Structure formats: structure tokens, C-alpha cells
Short mmCIF file of all heavy atoms in Angstrom, two decimals:
data_model
loop_
_atom_site.label_atom_id
_atom_site.label_comp_id
_atom_site.label_asym_id
_atom_site.label_seq_id
_atom_site.Cartn_x
_atom_site.Cartn_y
_atom_site.Cartn_z
N MET A 20 -20.82 1.96 -26.07
CA MET A 20 -20.76 3.12 -26.94
C MET A 20 -19.32 3.60 -27.01
O MET A 20 -18.53 3.29 -26.13
CB MET A 20 -21.71 4.20 -26.44
CG MET A 20 -21.21 5.01 -25.26
SD MET A 20 -22.16 6.45 -24.70
CE MET A 20 -23.80 6.17 -25.19
N ASN A 21 -19.02 4.33 -28.07
CA ASN A 21 -17.66 4.86 -28.11
C ASN A 21 -17.68 6.33 -27.68
O ASN A 21 -18.73 6.97 -27.62
CB ASN A 21 -16.99 4.64 -29.46
CG ASN A 21 -17.62 5.39 -30.60
OD1 ASN A 21 -18.17 6.46 -30.43
ND2 ASN A 21 -17.54 4.81 -31.78
N LEU A 22 -16.53 6.84 -27.38
CA LEU A 22 -16.38 8.19 -26.84
C LEU A 22 -16.95 9.25 -27.76
O LEU A 22 -17.49 10.24 -27.31
CB LEU A 22 -14.90 8.45 -26.53
CG LEU A 22 -14.52 9.82 -26.00
CD1 LEU A 22 -15.30 10.15 -24.72
CD2 LEU A 22 -13.03 9.89 -25.72
N SER A 23 -16.90 9.03 -29.06
CA SER A 23 -17.40 10.04 -30.00
C SER A 23 -18.91 10.22 -29.91
O SER A 23 -19.44 11.21 -30.41
CB SER A 23 -17.01 9.68 -31.44
OG SER A 23 -17.63 8.48 -31.85
N GLU A 24 -19.62 9.32 -29.26
CA GLU A 24 -21.07 9.42 -29.11
C GLU A 24 -21.48 10.28 -27.92
O GLU A 24 -22.65 10.67 -27.82
CB GLU A 24 -21.69 8.04 -28.98
CG GLU A 24 -21.52 7.17 -30.21
CD GLU A 24 -22.02 5.76 -30.01
OE1 GLU A 24 -23.10 5.59 -29.42
OE2 GLU A 24 -21.30 4.83 -30.42
N LEU A 25 -20.55 10.56 -27.01
CA LEU A 25 -20.88 11.41 -25.87
C LEU A 25 -20.96 12.86 -26.31
O LEU A 25 -20.23 13.31 -27.19
CB LEU A 25 -19.82 11.27 -24.77
CG LEU A 25 -19.74 9.94 -24.04
CD1 LEU A 25 -18.63 10.00 -22.99
CD2 LEU A 25 -21.05 9.57 -23.38
N LYS A 26 -21.84 13.60 -25.69
CA LYS A 26 -22.04 15.02 -25.98
C LYS A 26 -21.28 15.87 -24.95
O LYS A 26 -20.87 15.37 -23.91
CB LYS A 26 -23.53 15.38 -25.92
CG LYS A 26 -24.40 14.52 -26.79
CD LYS A 26 -24.25 14.89 -28.24
CE LYS A 26 -25.26 14.12 -29.08
NZ LYS A 26 -24.70 13.34 -30.10
N LYS A 27 -21.17 17.15 -25.25
CA LYS A 27 -20.50 18.08 -24.34
C LYS A 27 -21.17 18.02 -22.97
O LYS A 27 -22.39 18.06 -22.86
CB LYS A 27 -20.59 19.50 -24.89
CG LYS A 27 -19.90 20.52 -24.02
CD LYS A 27 -19.98 21.90 -24.62
CE LYS A 27 -19.33 22.90 -23.69
NZ LYS A 27 -19.40 24.25 -24.24
N GLY A 28 -20.35 17.88 -21.92
CA GLY A 28 -20.84 17.83 -20.56
C GLY A 28 -21.08 16.43 -20.03
O GLY A 28 -21.24 16.24 -18.84
N GLN A 29 -21.12 15.43 -20.91
CA GLN A 29 -21.33 14.06 -20.47
C GLN A 29 -20.02 13.42 -20.04
O GLN A 29 -18.95 13.78 -20.53
CB GLN A 29 -21.96 13.21 -21.58
CG GLN A 29 -23.40 13.57 -21.89
CD GLN A 29 -23.97 12.67 -22.96
OE1 GLN A 29 -23.39 12.50 -24.03
NE2 GLN A 29 -25.12 12.09 -22.65
N SER A 30 -20.13 12.46 -19.13
CA SER A 30 -18.95 11.74 -18.63
C SER A 30 -19.08 10.27 -18.95
O SER A 30 -20.18 9.75 -19.15
CB SER A 30 -18.83 11.92 -17.13
OG SER A 30 -18.61 13.27 -16.80
N GLY A 31 -17.95 9.60 -18.99
CA GLY A 31 -17.93 8.18 -19.26
C GLY A 31 -16.74 7.52 -18.60
O GLY A 31 -15.74 8.16 -18.29
N LYS A 32 -16.89 6.22 -18.37
CA LYS A 32 -15.81 5.40 -17.81
C LYS A 32 -15.22 4.59 -18.94
O LYS A 32 -15.94 3.92 -19.69
CB LYS A 32 -16.38 4.48 -16.73
CG LYS A 32 -15.36 3.66 -16.02
CD LYS A 32 -16.02 2.86 -14.92
CE LYS A 32 -15.01 2.02 -14.17
NZ LYS A 32 -15.66 1.24 -13.12
N VAL A 33 -13.90 4.64 -19.10
CA VAL A 33 -13.23 3.95 -20.20
C VAL A 33 -13.30 2.44 -19.98
O VAL A 33 -12.91 1.93 -18.93
CB VAL A 33 -11.75 4.39 -20.32
CG1 VAL A 33 -11.05 3.63 -21.43
CG2 VAL A 33 -11.66 5.89 -20.56
N LEU A 34 -13.83 1.73 -21.00
CA LEU A 34 -13.93 0.27 -20.94
C LEU A 34 -12.80 -0.40 -21.72
O LEU A 34 -12.28 -1.42 -21.29
CB LEU A 34 -15.28 -0.19 -21.50
CG LEU A 34 -16.52 0.33 -20.78
CD1 LEU A 34 -17.77 -0.15 -21.50
CD2 LEU A 34 -16.52 -0.14 -19.33
N SER A 35 -12.45 0.17 -22.88
CA SER A 35 -11.35 -0.39 -23.67
C SER A 35 -10.84 0.66 -24.65
O SER A 35 -11.53 1.61 -24.98
CB SER A 35 -11.82 -1.63 -24.45
OG SER A 35 -12.76 -1.28 -25.44
N VAL A 36 -9.61 0.45 -25.09
CA VAL A 36 -8.98 1.33 -26.08
C VAL A 36 -8.44 0.45 -27.20
O VAL A 36 -7.55 -0.37 -26.97
CB VAL A 36 -7.82 2.15 -25.45
CG1 VAL A 36 -7.15 3.02 -26.50
CG2 VAL A 36 -8.31 2.98 -24.29
N SER A 37 -9.03 0.61 -28.39
CA SER A 37 -8.54 -0.16 -29.54
C SER A 37 -7.99 0.83 -30.57
O SER A 37 -8.73 1.67 -31.08
CB SER A 37 -9.65 -1.02 -30.14
OG SER A 37 -10.74 -0.24 -30.52
N ALA A 38 -6.70 0.73 -30.79
CA ALA A 38 -6.02 1.62 -31.72
C ALA A 38 -4.71 0.96 -32.13
O ALA A 38 -4.37 -0.12 -31.64
CB ALA A 38 -5.74 2.96 -31.04
N SER A 39 -3.99 1.62 -33.01
CA SER A 39 -2.68 1.09 -33.39
C SER A 39 -1.79 1.07 -32.15
O SER A 39 -2.03 1.83 -31.21
CB SER A 39 -2.06 1.98 -34.47
OG SER A 39 -1.73 3.25 -33.94
N PRO A 40 -0.80 0.22 -32.13
CA PRO A 40 0.07 0.14 -30.94
C PRO A 40 0.68 1.48 -30.53
O PRO A 40 0.75 1.79 -29.35
CB PRO A 40 1.15 -0.86 -31.35
CG PRO A 40 0.51 -1.71 -32.39
CD PRO A 40 -0.43 -0.79 -33.12
N GLN A 41 1.08 2.30 -31.50
CA GLN A 41 1.69 3.59 -31.18
C GLN A 41 0.67 4.54 -30.55
O GLN A 41 0.95 5.21 -29.56
CB GLN A 41 2.28 4.25 -32.44
CG GLN A 41 3.40 3.49 -33.07
CD GLN A 41 2.90 2.44 -34.08
OE1 GLN A 41 1.71 2.27 -34.30
NE2 GLN A 41 3.84 1.72 -34.66
N LEU A 42 -0.52 4.63 -31.14
CA LEU A 42 -1.56 5.50 -30.61
C LEU A 42 -2.05 5.01 -29.25
O LEU A 42 -2.24 5.80 -28.33
CB LEU A 42 -2.74 5.61 -31.58
CG LEU A 42 -3.92 6.45 -31.11
CD1 LEU A 42 -3.49 7.87 -30.78
CD2 LEU A 42 -5.03 6.44 -32.15
N ARG A 43 -2.21 3.72 -29.12
CA ARG A 43 -2.66 3.13 -27.85
C ARG A 43 -1.68 3.48 -26.72
O ARG A 43 -2.06 3.91 -25.66
CB ARG A 43 -2.79 1.62 -28.01
CG ARG A 43 -3.34 0.91 -26.83
CD ARG A 43 -3.45 -0.58 -27.17
NE ARG A 43 -3.65 -1.37 -26.00
CZ ARG A 43 -4.81 -1.81 -25.58
NH1 ARG A 43 -5.90 -1.54 -26.27
NH2 ARG A 43 -4.91 -2.53 -24.48
N ARG A 44 -0.41 3.35 -26.99
CA ARG A 44 0.63 3.67 -26.00
C ARG A 44 0.59 5.16 -25.65
O ARG A 44 0.71 5.54 -24.49
CB ARG A 44 2.01 3.28 -26.56
CG ARG A 44 3.15 3.59 -25.65
CD ARG A 44 3.08 2.77 -24.41
NE ARG A 44 4.16 3.13 -23.53
CZ ARG A 44 4.26 2.71 -22.30
NH1 ARG A 44 3.37 1.90 -21.80
NH2 ARG A 44 5.26 3.09 -21.56
N ARG A 45 0.42 6.01 -26.68
CA ARG A 45 0.36 7.45 -26.45
C ARG A 45 -0.84 7.83 -25.58
O ARG A 45 -0.72 8.63 -24.65
CB ARG A 45 0.29 8.19 -27.79
CG ARG A 45 0.52 9.67 -27.65
CD ARG A 45 0.52 10.36 -29.00
NE ARG A 45 -0.61 11.27 -28.98
CZ ARG A 45 -1.51 11.43 -29.92
NH1 ARG A 45 -1.42 10.74 -31.03
NH2 ARG A 45 -2.49 12.27 -29.80
N LEU A 46 -1.99 7.23 -25.85
CA LEU A 46 -3.18 7.49 -25.05
C LEU A 46 -2.99 7.02 -23.61
O LEU A 46 -3.37 7.71 -22.66
CB LEU A 46 -4.41 6.82 -25.68
CG LEU A 46 -4.85 7.37 -27.03
CD1 LEU A 46 -5.94 6.50 -27.63
CD2 LEU A 46 -5.31 8.81 -26.91
N PHE A 47 -2.40 5.86 -23.43
CA PHE A 47 -2.13 5.36 -22.07
C PHE A 47 -1.17 6.28 -21.33
O PHE A 47 -1.35 6.57 -20.15
CB PHE A 47 -1.56 3.95 -22.10
CG PHE A 47 -2.56 2.87 -22.44
CD1 PHE A 47 -2.15 1.61 -22.80
CD2 PHE A 47 -3.93 3.11 -22.40
CE1 PHE A 47 -3.06 0.60 -23.10
CE2 PHE A 47 -4.85 2.12 -22.70
CZ PHE A 47 -4.41 0.86 -23.05
N ASP A 48 -0.14 6.77 -22.04
CA ASP A 48 0.82 7.68 -21.42
C ASP A 48 0.17 8.99 -20.98
O ASP A 48 0.61 9.62 -20.03
CB ASP A 48 1.98 7.99 -22.38
CG ASP A 48 2.92 6.81 -22.56
OD1 ASP A 48 2.86 5.86 -21.76
OD2 ASP A 48 3.72 6.84 -23.53
N MET A 49 -0.89 9.40 -21.67
CA MET A 49 -1.59 10.64 -21.33
C MET A 49 -2.65 10.41 -20.25
O MET A 49 -3.36 11.35 -19.90
CB MET A 49 -2.23 11.25 -22.58
CG MET A 49 -1.21 11.79 -23.55
SD MET A 49 -1.94 12.68 -24.93
CE MET A 49 -2.54 11.36 -25.94
N GLY A 50 -2.75 9.19 -19.75
CA GLY A 50 -3.67 8.93 -18.64
C GLY A 50 -5.02 8.36 -19.04
O GLY A 50 -5.89 8.18 -18.20
N LEU A 51 -5.21 8.05 -20.29
CA LEU A 51 -6.48 7.51 -20.76
C LEU A 51 -6.46 5.99 -20.59
O LEU A 51 -6.31 5.24 -21.54
CB LEU A 51 -6.69 7.89 -22.23
CG LEU A 51 -8.12 7.91 -22.71
CD1 LEU A 51 -8.92 8.95 -21.94
CD2 LEU A 51 -8.17 8.22 -24.18
N LEU A 52 -6.61 5.56 -19.34
CA LEU A 52 -6.51 4.15 -18.98
C LEU A 52 -7.89 3.54 -18.77
O LEU A 52 -8.86 4.24 -18.47
CB LEU A 52 -5.70 4.00 -17.70
CG LEU A 52 -4.28 4.57 -17.73
CD1 LEU A 52 -3.70 4.59 -16.34
CD2 LEU A 52 -3.41 3.78 -18.68
N VAL A 53 -7.98 2.23 -18.91
CA VAL A 53 -9.23 1.52 -18.64
C VAL A 53 -9.61 1.75 -17.18
O VAL A 53 -8.79 1.66 -16.28
CB VAL A 53 -9.06 0.01 -18.93
CG1 VAL A 53 -10.30 -0.76 -18.49
CG2 VAL A 53 -8.78 -0.21 -20.40
N GLY A 54 -10.87 2.13 -16.97
CA GLY A 54 -11.36 2.41 -15.62
C GLY A 54 -11.38 3.88 -15.27
O GLY A 54 -12.03 4.28 -14.31
N GLU A 55 -10.69 4.72 -16.04
CA GLU A 55 -10.67 6.16 -15.77
C GLU A 55 -11.99 6.79 -16.18
O GLU A 55 -12.59 6.41 -17.17
CB GLU A 55 -9.57 6.86 -16.57
CG GLU A 55 -8.21 6.84 -15.97
CD GLU A 55 -8.10 7.46 -14.61
OE1 GLU A 55 -8.73 8.51 -14.33
OE2 GLU A 55 -7.38 6.90 -13.81
N THR A 56 -12.41 7.79 -15.42
CA THR A 56 -13.59 8.56 -15.78
C THR A 56 -13.14 9.80 -16.53
O THR A 56 -12.23 10.49 -16.10
CB THR A 56 -14.38 8.97 -14.52
OG1 THR A 56 -14.78 7.77 -13.83
CG2 THR A 56 -15.62 9.77 -14.89
N ILE A 57 -13.77 10.03 -17.67
CA ILE A 57 -13.43 11.18 -18.50
C ILE A 57 -14.70 12.00 -18.73
O ILE A 57 -15.81 11.51 -18.61
CB ILE A 57 -12.83 10.75 -19.85
CG1 ILE A 57 -13.80 9.83 -20.59
CG2 ILE A 57 -11.50 10.07 -19.66
CD1 ILE A 57 -13.35 9.45 -21.95
N LYS A 58 -14.51 13.27 -19.05
CA LYS A 58 -15.64 14.15 -19.32
C LYS A 58 -15.39 14.89 -20.63
O LYS A 58 -14.28 15.37 -20.87
CB LYS A 58 -15.80 15.17 -18.18
CG LYS A 58 -16.97 16.11 -18.38
CD LYS A 58 -17.12 17.05 -17.21
CE LYS A 58 -18.29 18.00 -17.44
NZ LYS A 58 -18.42 18.99 -16.37
N VAL A 59 -16.42 14.97 -21.47
CA VAL A 59 -16.31 15.71 -22.72
C VAL A 59 -16.50 17.19 -22.40
O VAL A 59 -17.54 17.61 -21.93
CB VAL A 59 -17.36 15.23 -23.75
CG1 VAL A 59 -17.27 16.07 -25.02
CG2 VAL A 59 -17.18 13.76 -24.07
N GLU A 60 -15.46 17.97 -22.60
CA GLU A 60 -15.49 19.41 -22.31
C GLU A 60 -15.97 20.21 -23.51
O GLU A 60 -16.54 21.29 -23.34
CB GLU A 60 -14.11 19.89 -21.89
CG GLU A 60 -13.59 19.26 -20.61
CD GLU A 60 -14.37 19.67 -19.37
OE1 GLU A 60 -15.10 20.67 -19.40
OE2 GLU A 60 -14.25 18.96 -18.36
N GLY A 61 -15.73 19.72 -24.70
CA GLY A 61 -16.15 20.44 -25.89
C GLY A 61 -15.94 19.62 -27.14
O GLY A 61 -15.13 18.70 -27.17
N VAL A 62 -16.73 19.97 -28.16
CA VAL A 62 -16.61 19.34 -29.47
C VAL A 62 -16.69 20.45 -30.51
O VAL A 62 -17.56 21.32 -30.43
CB VAL A 62 -17.75 18.32 -29.71
CG1 VAL A 62 -17.60 17.66 -31.06
CG2 VAL A 62 -17.80 17.27 -28.61
N ALA A 63 -15.78 20.44 -31.45
CA ALA A 63 -15.79 21.45 -32.51
C ALA A 63 -17.08 21.35 -33.33
O ALA A 63 -17.70 20.29 -33.36
CB ALA A 63 -14.57 21.26 -33.41
N PRO A 64 -17.49 22.42 -33.97
CA PRO A 64 -18.75 22.43 -34.72
C PRO A 64 -18.90 21.29 -35.73
O PRO A 64 -19.98 20.77 -35.91
CB PRO A 64 -18.73 23.78 -35.43
CG PRO A 64 -17.90 24.65 -34.57
CD PRO A 64 -16.85 23.74 -34.00
N LEU A 65 -17.85 20.88 -36.37
CA LEU A 65 -17.93 19.79 -37.34
C LEU A 65 -17.62 18.43 -36.71
O LEU A 65 -17.46 17.44 -37.42
CB LEU A 65 -17.01 20.05 -38.53
CG LEU A 65 -17.36 21.29 -39.36
CD1 LEU A 65 -16.34 21.52 -40.46
CD2 LEU A 65 -18.76 21.18 -39.93
N GLY A 66 -17.49 18.38 -35.38
CA GLY A 66 -17.27 17.12 -34.68
C GLY A 66 -15.83 16.69 -34.55
O GLY A 66 -15.54 15.60 -34.09
N ASP A 67 -14.91 17.54 -34.93
CA ASP A 67 -13.50 17.19 -34.84
C ASP A 67 -12.70 18.46 -34.59
O ASP A 67 -12.82 19.41 -35.37
CB ASP A 67 -13.06 16.56 -36.17
CG ASP A 67 -11.67 15.96 -36.14
OD1 ASP A 67 -11.22 15.60 -35.04
OD2 ASP A 67 -11.06 15.84 -37.21
N PRO A 68 -11.93 18.58 -33.55
CA PRO A 68 -11.55 17.59 -32.54
C PRO A 68 -12.48 17.60 -31.32
O PRO A 68 -13.36 18.43 -31.19
CB PRO A 68 -10.15 18.05 -32.14
CG PRO A 68 -10.19 19.53 -32.29
CD PRO A 68 -11.11 19.79 -33.47
N PHE A 69 -12.19 16.68 -30.41
CA PHE A 69 -12.86 16.55 -29.13
C PHE A 69 -11.93 17.06 -28.04
O PHE A 69 -10.73 16.80 -28.09
CB PHE A 69 -13.12 15.07 -28.81
CG PHE A 69 -14.39 14.53 -29.37
CD1 PHE A 69 -14.55 14.32 -30.72
CD2 PHE A 69 -15.43 14.22 -28.52
CE1 PHE A 69 -15.71 13.81 -31.24
CE2 PHE A 69 -16.61 13.71 -29.02
CZ PHE A 69 -16.75 13.50 -30.38
N GLU A 70 -12.48 17.75 -27.07
CA GLU A 70 -11.70 18.14 -25.89
C GLU A 70 -12.29 17.40 -24.70
O GLU A 70 -13.48 17.51 -24.42
CB GLU A 70 -11.76 19.64 -25.65
CG GLU A 70 -10.90 20.07 -24.48
CD GLU A 70 -10.93 21.57 -24.24
OE1 GLU A 70 -11.77 22.26 -24.84
OE2 GLU A 70 -10.13 22.04 -23.43
N ILE A 71 -11.45 16.63 -24.02
CA ILE A 71 -11.91 15.87 -22.86
C ILE A 71 -11.04 16.23 -21.66
O ILE A 71 -9.93 16.72 -21.82
CB ILE A 71 -11.85 14.35 -23.11
CG1 ILE A 71 -10.41 13.88 -23.38
CG2 ILE A 71 -12.77 13.94 -24.24
CD1 ILE A 71 -10.25 12.37 -23.44
N SER A 72 -11.58 15.98 -20.48
CA SER A 72 -10.76 16.14 -19.28
C SER A 72 -10.57 14.76 -18.67
O SER A 72 -11.50 13.95 -18.60
CB SER A 72 -11.41 17.10 -18.28
OG SER A 72 -12.66 16.61 -17.85
N VAL A 73 -9.35 14.50 -18.27
CA VAL A 73 -8.97 13.24 -17.64
C VAL A 73 -7.88 13.56 -16.63
O VAL A 73 -6.94 14.30 -16.93
CB VAL A 73 -8.51 12.19 -18.69
CG1 VAL A 73 -7.33 12.67 -19.48
CG2 VAL A 73 -8.21 10.85 -18.04
N LYS A 74 -8.04 13.06 -15.42
CA LYS A 74 -7.05 13.27 -14.36
C LYS A 74 -6.67 14.75 -14.18
O LYS A 74 -5.51 15.12 -14.16
CB LYS A 74 -5.79 12.45 -14.62
CG LYS A 74 -6.00 10.98 -14.52
CD LYS A 74 -4.69 10.24 -14.57
CE LYS A 74 -4.93 8.76 -14.33
NZ LYS A 74 -3.71 8.01 -14.24
N ASN A 75 -7.67 15.61 -14.11
CA ASN A 75 -7.49 17.04 -13.84
C ASN A 75 -6.72 17.82 -14.91
O ASN A 75 -6.12 18.84 -14.64
CB ASN A 75 -6.82 17.27 -12.48
CG ASN A 75 -7.69 16.77 -11.35
OD1 ASN A 75 -8.92 16.92 -11.40
ND2 ASN A 75 -7.08 16.18 -10.35
N TYR A 76 -6.69 17.32 -16.14
CA TYR A 76 -6.15 18.12 -17.23
C TYR A 76 -6.97 17.88 -18.49
O TYR A 76 -7.73 16.92 -18.57
CB TYR A 76 -4.66 17.87 -17.46
CG TYR A 76 -4.30 16.52 -18.02
CD1 TYR A 76 -4.17 16.34 -19.39
CD2 TYR A 76 -4.06 15.44 -17.18
CE1 TYR A 76 -3.84 15.10 -19.90
CE2 TYR A 76 -3.72 14.20 -17.69
CZ TYR A 76 -3.62 14.04 -19.04
OH TYR A 76 -3.29 12.81 -19.56
N ARG A 77 -6.84 18.77 -19.44
CA ARG A 77 -7.61 18.68 -20.67
C ARG A 77 -6.75 18.12 -21.80
O ARG A 77 -5.57 18.43 -21.90
CB ARG A 77 -8.17 20.04 -21.05
CG ARG A 77 -9.24 20.46 -20.07
CD ARG A 77 -9.94 21.69 -20.51
NE ARG A 77 -11.01 21.99 -19.56
CZ ARG A 77 -12.00 22.80 -19.83
NH1 ARG A 77 -12.07 23.40 -20.99
NH2 ARG A 77 -12.92 23.03 -18.93
N LEU A 78 -7.40 17.34 -22.62
CA LEU A 78 -6.73 16.65 -23.70
C LEU A 78 -7.57 16.82 -24.96
O LEU A 78 -8.79 16.67 -24.92
CB LEU A 78 -6.60 15.18 -23.33
CG LEU A 78 -6.00 14.19 -24.27
CD1 LEU A 78 -4.54 14.56 -24.54
CD2 LEU A 78 -6.06 12.80 -23.66
N THR A 79 -6.96 17.17 -26.07
CA THR A 79 -7.67 17.33 -27.33
C THR A 79 -7.28 16.19 -28.26
O THR A 79 -6.10 15.95 -28.49
CB THR A 79 -7.33 18.69 -27.98
OG1 THR A 79 -7.67 19.72 -27.06
CG2 THR A 79 -8.10 18.88 -29.26
N LEU A 80 -8.31 15.49 -28.77
CA LEU A 80 -8.09 14.32 -29.64
C LEU A 80 -8.90 14.45 -30.91
O LEU A 80 -9.99 15.03 -30.90
CB LEU A 80 -8.51 13.04 -28.92
CG LEU A 80 -7.80 12.70 -27.62
CD1 LEU A 80 -8.49 11.53 -26.94
CD2 LEU A 80 -6.35 12.35 -27.91
N ARG A 81 -8.40 13.88 -31.98
CA ARG A 81 -9.12 13.84 -33.25
C ARG A 81 -10.26 12.83 -33.16
O ARG A 81 -10.22 11.89 -32.37
CB ARG A 81 -8.17 13.43 -34.39
CG ARG A 81 -7.16 14.47 -34.70
CD ARG A 81 -7.83 15.51 -35.50
NE ARG A 81 -6.89 16.53 -35.93
CZ ARG A 81 -7.29 17.68 -36.38
NH1 ARG A 81 -8.57 17.95 -36.47
NH2 ARG A 81 -6.43 18.58 -36.75
N LYS A 82 -11.26 13.01 -34.01
CA LYS A 82 -12.42 12.12 -33.99
C LYS A 82 -12.03 10.67 -34.27
O LYS A 82 -12.55 9.76 -33.63
CB LYS A 82 -13.47 12.58 -34.99
CG LYS A 82 -14.76 11.83 -34.87
CD LYS A 82 -15.86 12.43 -35.72
CE LYS A 82 -17.15 11.68 -35.48
NZ LYS A 82 -18.27 12.27 -36.18
N ASN A 83 -11.11 10.44 -35.20
CA ASN A 83 -10.70 9.06 -35.49
C ASN A 83 -9.98 8.42 -34.30
O ASN A 83 -9.99 7.20 -34.17
CB ASN A 83 -9.86 8.98 -36.76
CG ASN A 83 -8.53 9.68 -36.63
OD1 ASN A 83 -8.34 10.55 -35.79
ND2 ASN A 83 -7.60 9.33 -37.49
N GLU A 84 -9.40 9.21 -33.43
CA GLU A 84 -8.74 8.69 -32.23
C GLU A 84 -9.76 8.31 -31.17
O GLU A 84 -9.61 7.30 -30.49
CB GLU A 84 -7.75 9.70 -31.67
CG GLU A 84 -6.60 9.99 -32.61
CD GLU A 84 -5.74 11.17 -32.17
OE1 GLU A 84 -6.22 12.02 -31.40
OE2 GLU A 84 -4.59 11.23 -32.62
N VAL A 85 -10.82 9.10 -31.01
CA VAL A 85 -11.81 8.81 -29.96
C VAL A 85 -12.78 7.72 -30.37
O VAL A 85 -13.41 7.11 -29.51
CB VAL A 85 -12.59 10.07 -29.52
CG1 VAL A 85 -11.67 11.10 -28.93
CG2 VAL A 85 -13.41 10.65 -30.63
N GLU A 86 -12.92 7.44 -31.65
CA GLU A 86 -13.84 6.40 -32.09
C GLU A 86 -13.42 5.01 -31.63
O GLU A 86 -14.24 4.11 -31.54
CB GLU A 86 -14.03 6.44 -33.61
CG GLU A 86 -14.86 7.62 -34.05
CD GLU A 86 -15.00 7.75 -35.55
OE1 GLU A 86 -14.20 7.15 -36.29
OE2 GLU A 86 -15.91 8.48 -35.96
N GLY A 87 -12.15 4.81 -31.33
CA GLY A 87 -11.67 3.52 -30.86
C GLY A 87 -11.71 3.36 -29.34
O GLY A 87 -11.26 2.35 -28.81
N ILE A 88 -12.25 4.34 -28.65
CA ILE A 88 -12.31 4.29 -27.18
C ILE A 88 -13.73 3.97 -26.75
O ILE A 88 -14.66 4.74 -26.99
CB ILE A 88 -11.86 5.63 -26.58
CG1 ILE A 88 -10.44 5.97 -27.03
CG2 ILE A 88 -11.95 5.59 -25.06
CD1 ILE A 88 -9.99 7.37 -26.70
N SER A 89 -13.92 2.80 -26.16
CA SER A 89 -15.23 2.37 -25.68
C SER A 89 -15.44 2.88 -24.28
O SER A 89 -14.56 2.75 -23.42
CB SER A 89 -15.36 0.86 -25.69
OG SER A 89 -15.25 0.36 -26.99
N VAL A 90 -16.62 3.46 -24.03
CA VAL A 90 -16.94 4.02 -22.72
C VAL A 90 -18.33 3.58 -22.27
O VAL A 90 -19.16 3.18 -23.08
CB VAL A 90 -16.88 5.57 -22.71
CG1 VAL A 90 -15.49 6.06 -23.00
CG2 VAL A 90 -17.87 6.16 -23.68
N GLU A 91 -18.54 3.67 -20.98
CA GLU A 91 -19.85 3.47 -20.38
C GLU A 91 -20.25 4.81 -19.79
O GLU A 91 -19.48 5.38 -19.01
CB GLU A 91 -19.75 2.41 -19.29
CG GLU A 91 -21.01 2.22 -18.49
CD GLU A 91 -20.81 1.20 -17.38
OE1 GLU A 91 -19.67 1.02 -16.91
OE2 GLU A 91 -21.81 0.61 -16.99
N GLU A 92 -21.41 5.32 -20.17
CA GLU A 92 -21.83 6.63 -19.71
C GLU A 92 -22.01 6.63 -18.19
O GLU A 92 -22.58 5.71 -17.62
CB GLU A 92 -23.13 7.07 -20.37
CG GLU A 92 -23.52 8.47 -20.04
CD GLU A 92 -24.77 8.94 -20.75
OE1 GLU A 92 -25.30 8.19 -21.59
OE2 GLU A 92 -25.21 10.07 -20.46
N VAL A 93 -21.50 7.68 -17.54
CA VAL A 93 -21.62 7.87 -16.11
C VAL A 93 -22.54 9.07 -15.90
O VAL A 93 -22.33 10.13 -16.48
CB VAL A 93 -20.24 8.15 -15.46
CG1 VAL A 93 -20.39 8.46 -13.98
CG2 VAL A 93 -19.31 6.99 -15.70
N ARG A 94 -23.53 8.91 -15.06
CA ARG A 94 -24.49 10.00 -14.81
C ARG A 94 -24.26 10.61 -13.46
O ARG A 94 -23.82 10.09 -12.56
CB ARG A 94 -25.90 9.49 -14.92
CG ARG A 94 -26.19 9.06 -16.34
CD ARG A 94 -27.61 8.57 -16.48
NE ARG A 94 -27.77 8.01 -17.79
CZ ARG A 94 -28.53 8.54 -18.73
NH1 ARG A 94 -29.21 9.61 -18.48
NH2 ARG A 94 -28.60 8.00 -19.91
#
């Protein structure tokens, strides 16, 4: 599943990141690495943007950015 399918309060483990080279590098620099556990902290009413927590900080991403991030749900 991709990150955009997770609901508020759900967590997931990053399996892969597919994006343009510039966006991919930016996401990696912000700590969104394969194997990291992330948690969806909030989603705007229309589904864009997403607020996630990764490595003890919060990150806000657009829906088109999170759709390229494959995750495995962690319970």
C-alpha cells in the first residue's frame, strides 16, 4: 500500500520511495528512509496535505508526494 492509504493515527514501515530524483533526495534528507517507521499525525479535510512523524519530528507532505511512498502497515 502507499502512504496516502494510511489514516490518521496509523503507522507504517517504509518499503520504497519512487519519485523524481530531486524529490527522492529531499525525502531521504528529511529522514524518510527505507525501513523507517512513520506515523500519520493528520490529514487535511480534502486529503492534502499529510502530516507525518518520522524520527521524532513532524513533516508535512503533499498528497502527490506521499503517493510514491510504499509502506507496510505496522500495528
Side-chain angles (χ1 to χ4, degrees):
M20 78 173 26
N21 66 31
L22 178 56
S23 65
E24 296 174 44
L25 292 179
K26 306 285 187 237
K27 181 179 178 180
Q29 290 182 308
S30 296
K32 184 177 180 180
V33 178
L34 300 177
S35 67
V36 178
S37 58
S39 68
Q41 297 87 359
L42 177 58
R43 185 178 165 98
R44 179 66 182 171
R45 192 177 117 226
L46 294 172
F47 286 165
D48 288 345
M49 290 187 284
L51 204 62
L52 303 169
V53 173
E55 276 301 320
T56 300
I57 57 176
K58 181 178 179 184
V59 177
E60 297 292 343
V62 181
L65 297 176
D67 189 25
F69 273 71
E70 183 179 11
I71 62 172
S72 61
V73 59
K74 293 189 175 185
N75 296 322
Y76 69 93
R77 291 188 177 197
L78 178 62
T79 302
L80 300 171
R81 291 282 183 195
K82 188 171 184 175
N83 66 338
E84 296 170 338
V85 299
E86 287 176 342
I88 302 170
S89 297
V90 297
E91 173 183 27
E92 186 177 355
V93 175
R94 295 181 188 247

